[in-house]
Amino acid sequence: MPKSGTDREARRAASKAVKQAERAQKQARKLASSLPEPARSKLGRAATAERRRIVILKRDADRMPFAVRRAAKRSSSRLERVAVRYGSAGGRASSAGSSRRGSSAKAIERQRTQVEQPSKMAILSGVRTIFTTITTPTDQERARKTAKERLRRMERRN
């Protein structure tokens, strides 16, 4: 029996939803790696559980595309909720409404960016401090320089 255009569209939508769920799962794993330990393990477990579901969904995509699409979207949103809960938002939904704006993977990626920002800032501030200590002249060097400048001014006047 030939498959209709509607079937193809449903299968395409299902495979697209599964791919988005896979991306969300990948971003959740990345977010977990940048979190402190209690949150890391909880988010890691959630990502692993969703990964198992996604593998099963991938197999069933041809047989029941509508159910697969719905389940994949549900899986993405679960991952997003867990990411918001354990991410830098501290339980507040800093990416509230992100599902309406786009994919869950993007929302989880934003959470990861927020989590990594303080550590990046600390590193950058340390580098700046080291650079400043290296390039800032000591009092002795500054005194030498001003003495040279005074000497030059005196020589110019004479």
Side-chain angles (χ1 to χ4, degrees):
M1 183 169 140
K3 292 181 178 171
S4 68
T6 326
D7 291 338
R8 281 191 202 98
E9 288 171 18
R11 284 195 315 276
R12 268 189 215 117
S15 68
K16 187 177 178 182
V18 168
K19 282 180 185 170
Q20 286 178 345
E22 283 178 326
R23 276 190 227 113
Q25 188 268 337
K26 185 177 179 183
Q27 290 298 331
R29 280 228 178 274
K30 285 181 180 179
L31 173 62
S33 69
S34 58
L35 288 174
E37 187 37 54
R40 176 185 296 183
S41 60
K42 289 176 183 177
L43 188 57
R45 281 195 301 265
T48 304
E50 293 306 322
R51 178 68 191 147
R52 283 192 214 112
R53 285 189 188 107
I54 291 168
V55 167
I56 293 167
L57 291 175
K58 232 177 181 178
R59 274 184 275 166
D60 296 342
D62 281 341
R63 286 188 301 140
M64 36 192 192
F66 292 107
V68 166
R69 180 173 164 264
R70 192 171 50 247
K73 285 190 172 202
R74 193 178 305 130
S75 184
S76 306
S77 62
R78 270 192 209 116
L79 286 167
E80 183 183 357
R81 278 196 310 271
V82 171
V84 168
R85 186 178 307 136
Y86 297 113
S88 67
R92 297 180 320 273
S94 66
S95 57
S98 58
S99 295
R100 281 178 263 133
R101 273 186 300 207
S103 70
S104 295
K106 290 282 185 187
I108 297 169
E109 190 174 2
R110 281 192 293 275
Q111 285 291 324
R112 185 168 54 94
T113 308
Q114 288 176 12
V115 166
E116 290 173 351
Q117 194 152 7
S119 63
K120 284 182 182 177
M121 286 173 58
I123 291 168
L124 188 62
S125 123
V127 168
R128 283 184 183 149
T129 305
I130 291 170
F131 181 73
T132 306
T133 56
I134 291 171
T135 58
T136 305
T138 61
D139 291 339
Q140 204 174 24
E141 290 171 339
R142 199 173 289 134
R144 246 188 248 135
K145 190 174 181 179
T146 44
K148 281 184 184 178
E149 287 174 3
R150 285 181 187 154
L151 243 170
R152 283 189 197 121
R153 276 193 223 123
M154 288 174 61
E155 287 174 357
R156 275 190 239 143
R157 286 184 189 167
N158 293 335

mmCIF file of all heavy atoms in Angstrom, residues 66 122-123 130 140:
data_model
loop_
_atom_site.group_PDB
_atom_site.id
_atom_site.type_symbol
_atom_site.label_atom_id
_atom_site.label_comp_id
_atom_site.label_asym_id
_atom_site.label_seq_id
_atom_site.Cartn_x
_atom_site.Cartn_y
_atom_site.Cartn_z
ATOM 1 N N PHE A 66 2.889 10.039 14.789
ATOM 2 C CA PHE A 66 2.225 11.056 15.616
ATOM 3 C C PHE A 66 2.581 10.885 17.086
ATOM 4 O O PHE A 66 2.884 11.845 17.790
ATOM 5 C CB PHE A 66 0.700 11.012 15.418
ATOM 6 C CG PHE A 66 0.282 11.447 14.044
ATOM 7 C CD1 PHE A 66 -0.174 10.509 13.113
ATOM 8 C CD2 PHE A 66 0.359 12.768 13.664
ATOM 9 C CE1 PHE A 66 -0.546 10.905 11.846
ATOM 10 C CE2 PHE A 66 -0.011 13.176 12.390
ATOM 11 C CZ PHE A 66 -0.473 12.241 11.479
ATOM 12 N N ALA A 122 35.892 34.775 36.479
ATOM 13 C CA ALA A 122 36.948 34.622 37.483
ATOM 14 C C ALA A 122 38.305 34.425 36.819
ATOM 15 O O ALA A 122 39.309 35.029 37.229
ATOM 16 C CB ALA A 122 36.630 33.451 38.400
ATOM 17 N N ILE A 123 38.337 33.602 35.784
ATOM 18 C CA ILE A 123 39.588 33.361 35.057
ATOM 19 C C ILE A 123 40.072 34.645 34.415
ATOM 20 O O ILE A 123 41.250 35.015 34.505
ATOM 21 C CB ILE A 123 39.395 32.250 34.000
ATOM 22 C CG1 ILE A 123 39.179 30.906 34.692
ATOM 23 C CG2 ILE A 123 40.578 32.181 33.053
ATOM 24 C CD1 ILE A 123 38.698 29.807 33.770
ATOM 25 N N ILE A 130 47.064 39.472 36.919
ATOM 26 C CA ILE A 130 48.456 39.088 36.641
ATOM 27 C C ILE A 130 49.082 40.058 35.651
ATOM 28 O O ILE A 130 50.212 40.523 35.845
ATOM 29 C CB ILE A 130 48.515 37.636 36.112
ATOM 30 C CG1 ILE A 130 48.147 36.662 37.223
ATOM 31 C CG2 ILE A 130 49.892 37.315 35.549
ATOM 32 C CD1 ILE A 130 47.942 35.234 36.763
ATOM 33 N N GLN A 140 60.028 52.386 42.764
ATOM 34 C CA GLN A 140 61.422 52.697 42.432
ATOM 35 C C GLN A 140 61.556 53.053 40.946
ATOM 36 O O GLN A 140 62.198 54.042 40.587
ATOM 37 C CB GLN A 140 62.286 51.476 42.770
ATOM 38 C CG GLN A 140 63.732 51.788 43.022
ATOM 39 C CD GLN A 140 64.476 50.544 43.504
ATOM 40 O OE1 GLN A 140 64.048 49.418 43.236
ATOM 41 N NE2 GLN A 140 65.568 50.747 44.209
#
